């Protein structure tokens, strides 16, 4: 449904996008994951025809966006990083305006009502956009993307700036859209792709460094378990006791201290559950464990693992 081949975009000597290729099949929800400045927005803006590429091709539904922008754009609903809202319009006026700009042929009243219901903005349809909360504005942004019922939906960082409740609502909305649409969304948050996407394309400094099913990424992130353990006892002795436990790969003090306890970061060898051995080793010495929690990898660590090959591309 979407095909990007050897896409390049440079600004002078700076390569915002540096030879990117990937495909998205019909019905997939793909997360485009990378830190700020990785090239996510640039790629999405090229894919949606907002920006020209330096070289390479981008196709939607088999149509080249450069050769036939009008036909290609009809297949795409786009929520840019900064949604193009006219804040002096009411929600209803704005959606009618979008309907006309897109030259939509669907039954106007029925279609716009459907779009408002899907995005849950029906109750604010007569409000001025400038008086809406950030969460509602984002929904209006999503609603404009859905006008015309395009089969492909592209969202650039759809949950940035929202509060936790709004984030959950928007994620649910996107997951539901994914049942009937092909979706690409960009994010710099690993847990966001884990919550929404079937597949993850990871981009860093303009290059794709991984293209994986989400479940593989999740397994890799959780596989090499690390724990943050709070233990009461003499720091150096506790540390050397932790290091001598079978299955412990490494242990270090985090610097956190609370009364007579210190927090240790302990990493287990692959596939070994070290929680019980830690408990028994500490209880033997009468050093109480007063806290233990798993620490998952963050995006930067996932990157490092991919780069050094320990998280394979497969
Ligand atoms: P992301 O969306 O992943 O945060 P962007 O695609 O916005 O990343 O940007 C990728 C890189 O290209 C960044 O280093 C950014 O500074 C640079 N860049 C983006 N737009 C321009 C521009 N118009 N002129 C020069 N550099 C740009
Ligand atoms: Mg961006």
């Amino acid at each position: 449904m979407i095909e990007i081949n050897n896409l390049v975009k440079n600004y002078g000597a700076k390569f915002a996008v540096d030879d990117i290729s990937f495909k998205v099949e019909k019905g997939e929800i793909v997360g485009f994951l990378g830190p700020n400045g990785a090239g996510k927005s640039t790629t999405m803006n090229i894919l949606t025809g907002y920006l020209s590429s330096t070289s390479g091709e981008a196709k939607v539904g088999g149509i080249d966006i450069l050769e036939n922008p009008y036909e290609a754009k009809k297949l795409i609903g786009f929520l840019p990083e900064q949604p193009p809202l006219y804040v002096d319009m009411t929600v209803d006026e704005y959606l009618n305006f979008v309907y006309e700009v897109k030259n939509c042929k669907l039954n106007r009243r029925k279609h716009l009502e459907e779009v408002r219901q899907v995005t849950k903005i029906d109750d604010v349809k007569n409000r001025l956009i400038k008086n809406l909360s950030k969460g509602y504005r984002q929904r209006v942004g999503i609603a404009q993307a859905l006008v015309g019922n395009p089969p492909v939906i592209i969202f650039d960082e759809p949950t940035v700036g929202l509060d936790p409740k709004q984030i959950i609502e928007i994620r649910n909305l996107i997951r539901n859209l994914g049942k009937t649409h092909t979706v690409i969304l960009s994010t710099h948050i690993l847990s966001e792709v884990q919550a929404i996407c079937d597949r993850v394309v990871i981009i860093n400094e303009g290059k794709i460094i991984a293209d994986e099913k989400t479940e593989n990424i999740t397994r890799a992130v959780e596989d090499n378990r690390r724990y943050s353990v709070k233990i009461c006892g003499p720091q150096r002795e506790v540390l050397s006791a932790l290091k001598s436990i079978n299955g412990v790969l490494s242990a270090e003090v985090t610097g956190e201290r609370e009364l007579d306890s210190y927090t240790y970061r302990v990493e287990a060898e692959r596939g070994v559950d070290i929680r019980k051995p830690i408990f028994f080793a500490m209880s033997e010495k009468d050093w109480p464990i007063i806290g233990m929690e798993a620490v998952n990898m963050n995006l930067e660590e996932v990157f490092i693992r991919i780069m050094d090959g320990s998280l394979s591309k497969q």
Side-chain angles (χ1 to χ4, degrees):
M1 199 65 187
I2 295 170
E3 194 175 342
I4 290 185
N5 288 316
N6 306 104
L7 202 65
V8 174
K9 177 75 181 179
N10 65 319
Y11 297 102
K14 163 92 195 167
F15 283 78
V17 170
D18 190 1
D19 196 11
I20 277 185
S21 303
F22 68 89
K23 278 186 193 168
V24 178
E25 302 297 336
K26 191 162 183 277
E28 271 189 307
I29 308 185
V30 171
F32 205 40
L33 175 69
N36 284 332
K40 304 183 294 296
S41 295
T42 304
T43 306
M44 291 182 144
N45 288 334
I46 293 171
L47 184 57
T48 52
Y50 273 56
L51 195 67
S52 64
S53 58
T54 305
S55 63
E57 61 173 7
K59 286 184 184 173
V60 178
I63 303 170
D64 191 298
I65 188 85
L66 272 184
E67 281 171 12
N68 212 338
Y70 188 72
E71 289 304 312
K73 281 185 190 179
K74 272 202 232 168
L75 302 176
I76 303 170
F78 183 35
L79 176 72
E81 213 164 14
Q82 315 281 344
L85 301 177
Y86 290 98
V87 296
D88 287 320
M89 289 183 181
T90 65
V91 170
D92 209 28
E93 284 166 352
Y94 174 65
L95 291 180
N96 271 284
F97 166 75
V98 173
Y99 178 96
E100 272 159 34
V101 169
K102 289 193 179 179
N103 198 11
C104 187
K105 298 282 186 261
L106 300 163
N107 179 299
R108 182 190 293 242
R109 199 190 51 78
K110 203 165 146 246
H111 177 54
L112 292 185
E113 186 182 340
E114 208 173 83
V115 166
R116 289 193 311 264
Q117 274 168 2
V118 168
T119 50
K120 299 207 176 85
I121 53 173
D122 212 30
D123 51 335
V124 297
K125 68 178 179 183
N126 295 319
R127 297 255 299 268
L128 288 174
I129 293 174
K130 68 179 167 197
N131 294 335
L132 296 179
S133 69
K134 177 91 170 99
Y136 266 107
R137 283 187 194 204
Q138 198 67 345
R139 283 163 196 264
V140 176
I142 293 175
Q144 65 76 29
L146 298 183
V147 170
N149 207 6
V152 175
I153 306 280
I154 298 180
F155 291 152
D156 195 355
E157 306 243 13
T159 62
V160 157
L162 302 184
D163 68 36
K165 183 166 171 276
Q166 293 167 339
I167 288 178
I168 290 170
E169 286 167 0
I170 295 290
R171 284 179 183 172
N172 285 339
L173 173 55
I174 296 172
R175 251 197 310 263
N176 275 331
L177 288 174
K179 290 175 189 160
T180 47
H181 296 79
T182 304
V183 180
I184 304 188
L185 66 96
S186 75
T187 174
H188 60 279
I189 305 160
L190 178 60
S191 59
E192 182 141 294
V193 291
Q194 290 177 305
I196 308 178
C197 305
D198 308 318
R199 189 153 67 84
V200 193
V201 174
I202 303 183
I203 175 171
N204 191 35
E205 294 179 358
K207 289 191 163 71
I208 288 178
I209 58 169
D211 183 340
E212 281 279 353
K213 282 188 171 166
T214 307
E215 59 198 55
N216 291 347
I217 295 279
T218 299
R219 203 180 303 132
V221 166
E222 289 170 350
D223 202 329
N224 217 328
R225 295 305 288 255
R226 286 171 313 164
Y227 294 90
S228 170
V229 193
K230 212 183 238 191
I231 301 166
C232 306
Q235 197 197 87
R236 279 176 56 189
E237 288 163 54
V238 170
L239 191 60
S240 81
L242 285 171
K243 284 181 176 167
S244 65
I245 293 170
N246 249 343
V248 169
L249 199 62
S250 69
E252 59 188 46
V253 188
T254 65
E256 250 176 87
R257 180 184 183 166
E258 186 193 322
L259 297 174
D260 61 341
S261 76
Y262 295 88
T263 302
Y264 303 82
R265 180 66 63 92
V266 187
E267 184 165 357
E269 281 168 15
R270 209 172 248 276
V272 181
D273 190 339
I274 51 169
R275 289 170 296 180
K276 288 179 188 170
I278 291 175
F279 169 83
F280 288 121
M282 296 301 113
S283 77
E284 196 175 292
K285 303 270 195 181
D286 283 333
W287 294 328
I289 296 172
I290 59 171
M292 189 188 296
E293 61 183 343
V295 183
N296 283 341
M297 271 193 253
N298 61 29
L299 185 55
E300 289 67 34
E301 290 165 326
V302 170
F303 275 10
I304 292 165
R305 302 258 159 152
I306 291 168
M307 296 302 191
D308 73 13
S310 52
L311 188 70
S312 75
K313 286 192 183 180
Q314 289 172 32

